[in-house]
């Protein structure tokens, strides 16, 4: 059972509590959806239950719970997929024969059999999230904590997740499941829904409904005619890596549009395509040219890529320094007033002295977008720009991207979020190592 009484927690160096007087009881067999805005304390509460907060010595629960982090990159402990799946079984003292049998079953259940020997760091974000889910559930612990486990999954991955959780509940009728989600549809599937606002717990249905409100209407670029020279020409492009094999094979196509959506299954090459278009990597064969005839070469012909893991793009000690770094290099003003206006544009209200790595996942994603917008690139490429964002944040990002495109910046989006894909005036799907226009 989970039993918390009057819990408050303030991060070292912070002035306001991340959790404020939390009292909560979750009984065996209960399934609880935890909702709230970015920065409201949801991940902090899960980390408390897992015993992972700074200065915390152990979990308050009788048995160590299984936790799936918001970012799967944060919890990997083994170099390979099979090693990651085996870790908890080895720690639990499983003997070889039943362990090998369980590994085979779980790899098959989550569609990981073909990836078993792959390097975790070479997987796509969705594939890494699938591995994290499989590893967290493989030893069937009595408490399962899930921090937005579906955020990077494609349709097949989400179906596998739902099936795996259903099978787990059948095997463990007293399983306690606490799941952070921003989805009304997901929350409706749970017996209890609770919410956090500024670190305080809300249980009133009317208050919770304000957290799970549908996204606000967004502007659109429908009917906006893109200049004919906008976009890229791929000429016989192939790309492969020794550890993954061929990603693209002899692709000849034009990628055009004011807002372009790239779709495809987890691991199909969406992130790789963004990196190719940005000039961060070069094709194994063939070439990529802008529509005006210029060849795409590093550093990317005025393109900026906001990556899937924004924390990997931060290297300064404060939010202010992160923003100033790019502005200074571009010769633009960067006083505190300008920095605050940049943050206001993405709805981010944080102290400029904050360490970027201390922000919540959703706040980090907004900061990364703010940095990109401040540099005013001609081409803005966004990899899962709304992952980990609450509904208001998703709507705000959609409005920002639409208005940025209307002002002349070309936008390329990779996302499993329908709100993002609905913005696009051109869509492409990656299928069988090719890039195929779908609209």
């Amino acid at each position: 059972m989970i039993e918390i009484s009057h819990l408050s927690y303030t991060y070292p160096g912070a002035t306001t509590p991340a959790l404020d007087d939390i009292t909560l009881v979750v009984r065996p067999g209960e399934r609880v959806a935890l909702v709230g805005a970015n920065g409201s304390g949801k991940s902090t509460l899960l980390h408390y239950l897992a015993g992972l907060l700074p200065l915390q010595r152990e979990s308050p629960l009788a048995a160590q719970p299984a936790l799936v982090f918001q970012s799967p990159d944060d919890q990997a402990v083994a170099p390979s997929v099979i090693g990651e799946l085996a870790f908890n079984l080895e720690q639990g003292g499983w003997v070889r024969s039943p362990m090998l049998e369980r590994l085979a079953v779980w790899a098959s259940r989550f569609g990981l059999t073909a990836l078993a020997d792959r390097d975790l760091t070479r997987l796509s974000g969705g594939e890494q999230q699938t591995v994290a889910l499989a590893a967290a559930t493989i030893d069937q612990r009595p408490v399962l904590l899930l921090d937005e486990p579906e955020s990077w999954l494609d349709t097949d991955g989400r179906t596998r997740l739902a099936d795996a959780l259903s099978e787990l509940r059948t095997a463990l009728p007293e399983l306690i499941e606490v799941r952070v989600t921003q989805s009304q549809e997901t929350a409706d599937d749970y017996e209890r829904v609770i919410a956090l606002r500024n670190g305080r717990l809300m249980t009133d249905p009317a208050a919770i409904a304000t957290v799970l409100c549908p996204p606000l209407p967004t502007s659109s670029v429908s009917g906006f005619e893109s200049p004919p020279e906008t976009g890229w020409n791929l000429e016989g492009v192939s790309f492969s890596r020794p550890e993954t094999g061929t990603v693209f094979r002899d692709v000849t196509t034009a990628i055009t549009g004011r807002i372009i959506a790239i779709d495809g299954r987890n691991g199909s090459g969406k992130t790789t395509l963004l990196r190719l278009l940005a000039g961060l990597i070069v094709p194994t064969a063939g070439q990529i040219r802008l529509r005006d005839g210029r060849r795409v070469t590093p550093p990317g012909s005025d393109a900026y890529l906001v990556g899937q893991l924004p924390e990997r793009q931060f290297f300064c000690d404060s939010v202010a320094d992160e923003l100033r770094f790019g502005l200074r290099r571009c010769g633009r003003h960067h006083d505190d007033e300008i920095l605050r206006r940049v943050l206001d544009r993405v709805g981010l209200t944080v102290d400029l002295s904050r360490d970027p790595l201390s922000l919540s996942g959703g706040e980090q994603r907004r900061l990364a977008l703010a940095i990109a917008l401040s540099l005013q690139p001609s081409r803005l490429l966004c990899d899962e720009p709304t992952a980990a964002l609450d509904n208001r944040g998703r709507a705000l990002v959609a409005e920002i991207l639409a208005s940025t495109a209307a002002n002349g910046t070309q936008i390329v989006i990779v996302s499993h979020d329908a709100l993002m894909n609905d913005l696009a005036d051109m869509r492409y799907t990656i299928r069988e190592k090719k890039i195929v226009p779908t609209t």
Side-chain angles (χ1 to χ4, degrees):
M1 184 169 72
I2 294 175
E3 190 170 6
I4 302 172
S5 180
H6 301 291
L7 167 69
S8 294
Y9 179 82
T10 302
Y11 281 99
T15 56
T16 57
L19 298 174
D20 189 2
D21 195 28
I22 301 292
T23 295
L24 175 67
V25 175
V26 184
R27 293 179 173 79
E30 280 196 282
R31 301 171 62 237
V32 179
L34 175 58
V35 301
N38 294 137
S40 60
K42 304 183 299 298
S43 296
T44 300
L45 180 56
L46 293 196
H47 289 186
Y48 167 75
L49 294 173
L52 298 178
L53 291 179
L55 307 181
Q56 189 180 9
R57 293 185 176 181
E58 60 185 9
S59 168
L61 306 183
Q64 182 67 30
L67 169 64
V68 175
F69 285 55
Q70 190 176 73
S71 173
D73 196 53
D74 291 341
Q75 70 184 92
V77 296
S80 68
V81 171
I82 197 67
E84 188 73 13
L85 297 185
F87 181 80
N88 284 337
L89 300 181
E90 293 170 339
Q91 294 298 302
W94 283 51
V95 297
R96 183 174 177 80
S97 180
M99 182 173 72
L100 292 177
E101 182 178 346
R102 176 61 64 86
L103 287 171
V105 170
W106 242 246
S108 175
R109 178 171 295 173
F110 283 88
L112 297 171
T113 303
L115 304 178
D117 296 324
R118 286 274 299 277
D119 182 340
L120 269 176
T121 63
R122 298 295 186 179
L123 300 182
S124 72
E127 289 170 332
Q128 288 183 356
Q129 193 164 46
T130 302
V131 174
L133 289 163
T137 58
I138 195 168
D139 56 348
Q140 298 185 336
R141 300 185 194 183
V143 178
L144 178 62
L145 311 173
L146 302 170
D147 198 347
E148 299 194 56
E150 75 285 359
S151 56
W152 294 347
L153 298 181
D154 59 19
T155 302
D156 288 347
R158 295 182 186 210
T159 299
R160 289 193 191 99
L161 170 61
D163 291 345
L165 293 178
S166 177
E167 292 176 16
L168 197 59
R169 290 192 295 271
T170 299
L172 298 173
E174 295 198 337
L175 173 72
I176 293 175
E177 181 188 337
V178 181
R179 178 172 178 174
V180 172
T181 184
Q182 302 290 359
S183 165
Q184 176 76 65
E185 182 180 0
T186 299
D188 287 344
D189 189 45
Y190 280 71
E191 299 147 6
R192 285 176 65 190
V193 180
I194 58 176
L196 284 172
R197 175 179 288 165
N198 298 324
R200 297 186 67 87
L201 193 65
M202 300 188 300
T203 56
D204 177 62
I208 292 172
T210 65
V211 175
L212 279 172
C213 62
L216 302 173
T218 67
S219 53
S220 172
V221 293
S222 298
F224 187 97
E225 185 176 348
S226 301
E229 71 277 7
T230 301
W232 294 262
N233 286 331
L234 281 66
E235 303 166 2
V237 169
S238 295
F239 185 83
S240 61
R241 293 191 182 95
E243 67 277 5
T244 60
T246 301
V247 181
F248 296 113
R249 179 182 293 118
D250 193 23
V251 176
T252 297
T253 191
I255 296 179
T256 62
R258 178 54 67 194
I259 296 184
I260 300 165
I262 307 293
D263 189 20
R265 299 181 62 178
N266 290 141
S268 61
K270 300 185 296 297
T271 296
T272 298
L273 177 58
L274 291 186
R275 297 182 70 198
L276 286 166
L277 297 180
L280 298 176
I281 55 177
V282 297
T284 308
Q287 61 183 3
I288 302 176
R289 293 183 182 274
L290 298 177
R291 296 279 284 175
D292 62 12
R294 288 178 294 155
R295 188 168 181 174
V296 173
T297 56
S301 303
D302 198 23
Y304 191 100
L305 172 60
V306 180
Q308 196 173 60
L309 298 169
E311 65 271 21
R312 289 186 177 179
Q313 296 182 243
F314 300 148
F315 52 91
C316 295
D317 294 331
S318 70
V319 169
D321 286 344
E322 286 289 350
L323 289 165
R324 285 196 182 103
F325 181 83
L327 291 171
R328 188 182 296 118
R329 287 177 63 87
C330 293
R332 298 196 177 107
H333 295 294
H334 48 78
D335 58 47
D336 284 1
E337 182 59 32
I338 289 175
L339 301 188
R340 290 193 180 93
R341 286 207 300 267
V342 170
L343 294 180
D344 286 345
R345 188 178 179 190
V346 297
L348 189 55
T349 55
V350 297
D351 194 304
L352 290 173
S353 65
R354 280 277 298 274
D355 184 338
L357 298 182
S358 74
L359 303 177
S360 73
E363 291 169 334
Q364 288 181 352
R365 199 161 295 281
R366 290 198 219 183
L367 175 59
L369 180 59
I371 293 169
L373 293 172
S374 72
L375 302 179
Q376 301 175 355
S378 298
R379 297 164 186 81
L380 177 60
L381 294 79
C382 300
D383 198 350
E384 299 288 357
T386 58
L389 292 186
D390 56 38
N391 283 339
R392 292 189 184 278
R394 291 171 57 230
L396 178 60
V397 168
E399 291 175 346
I400 289 169
L401 294 181
S403 64
T404 301
N407 287 329
T409 300
Q410 186 169 38
I411 309 290
V412 184
I413 303 171
V414 164
S415 180
H416 291 113
D417 186 345
L419 182 63
M420 289 290 97
N421 293 324
D422 287 347
L423 285 175
D425 58 328
M426 285 296 295
R427 296 178 177 85
Y428 296 82
T429 297
I430 299 176
R431 184 185 305 125
E432 297 178 351
K433 310 185 190 308
K434 300 289 186 180
I435 303 166
V436 182
T438 54
T439 56

